[in-house]
Amino acid sequence: MHLNSRTLKAIAWSTLALSTANAQYIIDNLSFGQKAGEPISPNLRGIPHYSAKGLGWDIEILSDRAVLTPPWPGNKRGALWSEDPLHHAGDWNAELHFRAAGMDRGGGNLQLWYTKESQKNEPPASLYTAPKFDGLVLVVDQYEGRGGSVRGFLNGGDIDFKVHHDLDQLAFGQCNYAYRNLGRFSVLKMSQANGKFDVTVDGNPCFSTDKVRLPAGYHFGISASSAENPDSFEVQKFLVSTTNAHTREEPGSHQNQAAQNPNQQQQQQQQQQQGQTQQQNVQPPPRVHGNWLQRTQEQNKPLDPNIPQMVEDVFAANIKSQQDQFGDLHNRLQILNHKIDGLYDLLEKVIADNDQRFDQLMGRITPMHDQISATMRNVEKVERTTMETLRDLESKDFKDLLNSVHRSIERGQSAMSANIPAAISDIVDKGRPSMTSFFFVVVVVQVLVLCAYQLYKKRRNSAPKKYL
């Protein structure tokens, strides 16, 4: 069977369409932190393709995250603004990984901007201090004391948010989300696809509308502000992706594509139409490595060293011959299959690790559940005993007992009052001395004193006399 060049091209395009129908491509010059294990800044002084600016302090850029507002002191601001705009008018996604931490009553807000004019030369602003802008802003703050919320605002450049009398009523969508002190990074994602604009938080739907369609040519920005009791806002990564296969937007590339020869554009359109017509009659070839669930042994074979492991990005207009186009497409399809196989292996490993962790966690939870049950039973016993004692105290009357105790005390007091004087009188009568004994003692004392005096005089008279 002979296949001409057009048939081969149609087969290649069909295979590419089936393989990359749901693929997302990261736009490198609008993203940072997309490569795991690599620092977001090569010199820890700035993020490539982004302008960093702080108000009251300098933004701290670490190897894996950027600190927009410090944990202390408060009333600080910080912002990151993309140098280049988004040139894709079709479907795209913007994903922000952020974290907020602070004291119990800390405050502040975080904004994700998509505006026509970049504010990189302006002081970092929040929703309530921003000048007139044309675009969208998603605000994360503690609106109305709900513990956290995500709200979306649109402005056509004719509303001054700083002086608006009731700014909170302008939100076209909102949801509650407690974002503070989670200990992990939250994921705020906005996407435009299939005529709808969706906002999700940690993979959960926040709000959605089909009345918003954001144009191309706008800039992304991330800003944060802290209150007097501050919250520290940190940004780990910001990913902008699209279904377009261009993973990098070169400066001036869109102008160069628009300036192509009109005849060349017509030829390309005719070739695409012919390829689409032939796709209807050509069946796509079978996959080399089988489906996702049943993998063959071919995947475990060593890779051919002649097969390239990575292909640089080039413009389609730079590939002239059909043979080069087919070779480039073939190499990219092989690389895509290898990447999918690697992702499948990684997914299997993650699932196995999660199962092991789940088993370990369940093994720890079971003894804890038994201990908790025993503690609950002891608490129930104490409560039951307490209720029985309280019920006994409330049901019995202690009036008679108190009266009996009172009478006993009165009887004891009366007996003591009657017996104590008689006992003291008896003791005094029995223990006092008689008058005879008293007089005898007095006479004896006087006789002894007289004898002592006589003895003294006798010794004095018998002593020798001394004359002067």
Side-chain angles (χ1 to χ4, degrees):
M1 179 178 179
H2 177 71
L3 297 177
N4 55 23
S5 60
R6 291 184 177 179
T7 304
L8 291 175
K9 188 175 181 179
I11 294 174
W13 280 109
S14 301
T15 306
L16 180 62
L18 292 174
S19 302
T20 63
N22 297 321
Q24 293 288 334
Y25 299 90
I26 300 297
I27 303 176
D28 292 338
N29 64 325
L30 297 179
S31 306
F32 59 85
Q34 66 268 34
K35 297 180 181 179
E38 294 187 5
I40 63 175
S41 173
N43 52 15
L44 301 182
R45 289 179 293 181
I47 299 177
H49 306 291
Y50 271 83
S51 175
K53 194 170 186 179
L55 182 62
W57 86 302
D58 295 330
I59 292 180
E60 186 177 3
I61 299 177
L62 306 177
S63 60
D64 60 340
R65 63 189 184 276
V67 182
L68 299 182
T69 57
W72 187 89
N75 297 322
K76 305 298 180 184
R77 298 179 185 177
L80 296 171
W81 281 92
S82 62
E83 299 285 351
D84 304 321
L86 174 67
H87 294 294
H88 297 279
D91 299 343
W92 54 266
N93 300 318
E95 184 177 302
L96 175 63
H97 295 235
F98 72 95
R99 179 170 64 184
M103 58 187 65
D104 292 339
R105 296 188 178 183
N109 49 59
L110 177 75
Q111 285 77 213
L112 176 58
W113 305 85
Y114 183 67
T115 61
K116 186 176 182 180
E117 300 294 337
S118 175
Q119 301 179 20
K120 63 180 181 180
N121 297 324
E122 302 291 337
S126 65
L127 171 71
Y128 304 99
T129 61
K132 291 183 179 180
F133 66 92
D134 183 2
L136 166 77
V137 58
L138 297 181
V139 182
V140 181
D141 62 359
Q142 301 183 70
Y143 171 64
E144 290 185 347
R146 299 176 182 175
S149 66
V150 179
R151 295 177 292 160
F153 295 85
L154 290 172
N155 193 350
D158 54 347
I159 303 176
D160 191 352
F161 281 9
K162 292 187 295 185
V163 298
H164 197 276
H165 65 282
D166 196 1
L167 180 60
D168 297 327
Q169 298 299 324
L170 299 180
F172 68 91
Q174 67 179 12
C175 67
N176 295 332
Y177 177 67
Y179 61 91
R180 299 183 66 251
N181 297 325
L182 297 180
R184 58 173 175 81
F185 285 91
S186 302
V187 181
L188 175 62
K189 182 178 180 181
M190 63 177 178
S191 60
Q192 180 171 273
N194 301 322
K196 292 183 64 178
F197 178 78
D198 297 307
V199 175
T200 62
V201 183
D202 291 340
N204 300 316
C206 182
F207 60 86
S208 175
T209 179
D210 57 356
K211 302 183 184 301
V212 175
R213 186 69 178 177
L214 301 177
Y218 282 36
H219 293 77
F220 286 103
I222 308 167
S223 67
S225 301
S226 63
E228 184 175 357
N229 294 330
D231 269 342
S232 176
F233 286 93
E234 301 175 348
V235 176
Q236 184 186 44
K237 62 177 67 175
F238 182 63
L239 307 178
V240 181
S241 60
T242 178
T243 54
N244 194 338
H246 292 288
T247 59
R248 185 179 293 105
E249 293 185 351
E250 300 294 344
S253 61
H254 299 276
Q255 290 80 357
N256 295 333
Q257 291 180 357
Q260 287 182 347
N261 187 1
N263 295 329
Q264 185 178 0
Q265 293 181 357
Q266 293 179 0
Q267 292 177 0
Q268 292 179 357
Q269 292 178 359
Q270 291 178 359
Q271 291 177 359
Q272 292 178 359
Q273 292 177 358
Q274 292 177 359
Q276 292 176 357
T277 303
Q278 293 181 359
Q279 287 178 10
Q280 299 177 358
N281 299 324
V282 177
Q283 296 294 332
R287 291 186 60 182
V288 177
H289 297 292
N291 56 32
W292 284 88
L293 300 178
Q294 297 178 351
R295 306 172 65 200
T296 62
Q297 297 180 354
E298 294 182 17
Q299 289 177 317
N300 299 324
K301 293 181 179 180
L303 298 177
D304 190 350
N306 297 325
I307 298 177
Q309 301 302 315
M310 185 60 65
V311 179
E312 295 183 356
D313 298 333
V314 295
F315 293 110
N318 295 336
I319 304 177
K320 304 299 182 181
S321 64
Q322 293 183 353
Q323 183 177 1
D324 293 339
Q325 290 179 356
F326 180 78
D328 181 75
L329 181 61
H330 176 74
N331 292 334
R332 293 181 186 278
L333 288 177
Q334 283 189 332
I335 293 173
L336 181 62
N337 274 333
H338 294 327
K339 296 296 183 182
I340 292 175
D341 295 338
L343 289 175
Y344 182 82
D345 294 336
L346 180 61
L347 182 62
E348 284 185 337
K349 183 179 178 181
V350 171
I351 292 175
D353 293 342
N354 289 338
D355 292 340
Q356 184 179 1
R357 292 176 182 176
F358 179 78
D359 295 337
Q360 295 177 355
L361 183 61
M362 292 303 296
R364 295 178 181 179
I365 289 176
T366 301
M368 292 177 60
H369 183 269
D370 296 338
Q371 295 178 1
I372 293 174
S373 299
T375 304
M376 292 299 296
R377 288 193 296 270
N378 293 333
V379 172
E380 291 178 354
K381 292 180 180 178
V382 172
E383 290 181 350
R384 188 164 51 253
T385 304
T386 304
M387 294 300 296
E388 291 177 355
T389 304
L390 181 61
R391 189 165 49 252
D392 293 340
L393 291 175
E394 291 178 349
S395 61
K396 293 183 178 180
D397 190 3
F398 296 94
K399 185 176 180 179
D400 296 337
L401 180 61
L402 293 176
N403 292 332
S404 176
V405 172
H406 182 68
R407 287 193 296 270
S408 298
I409 293 174
E410 288 181 346
R411 286 195 297 270
Q413 182 180 4
S414 301
M416 291 176 64
S417 299
N419 295 329
I420 287 177
I424 294 175
S425 178
D426 183 64
I427 292 173
V428 172
D429 293 338
K430 292 181 179 180
R432 62 182 181 179
S434 61
M435 292 301 295
T436 305
S437 300
F438 178 74
F439 286 119
F440 177 77
V441 171
V442 171
V443 172
V444 171
V445 171
Q446 289 179 355
V447 171
L448 291 175
V449 172
L450 182 61
C451 293
Y453 178 73
Q454 293 295 329
L455 180 64
Y456 167 74
K457 287 184 68 176
K458 183 180 181 180
R459 288 186 177 183
R460 183 178 179 184
N461 295 325
S462 61
K465 303 293 189 291
K466 293 181 179 180
Y467 301 96
L468 296 176

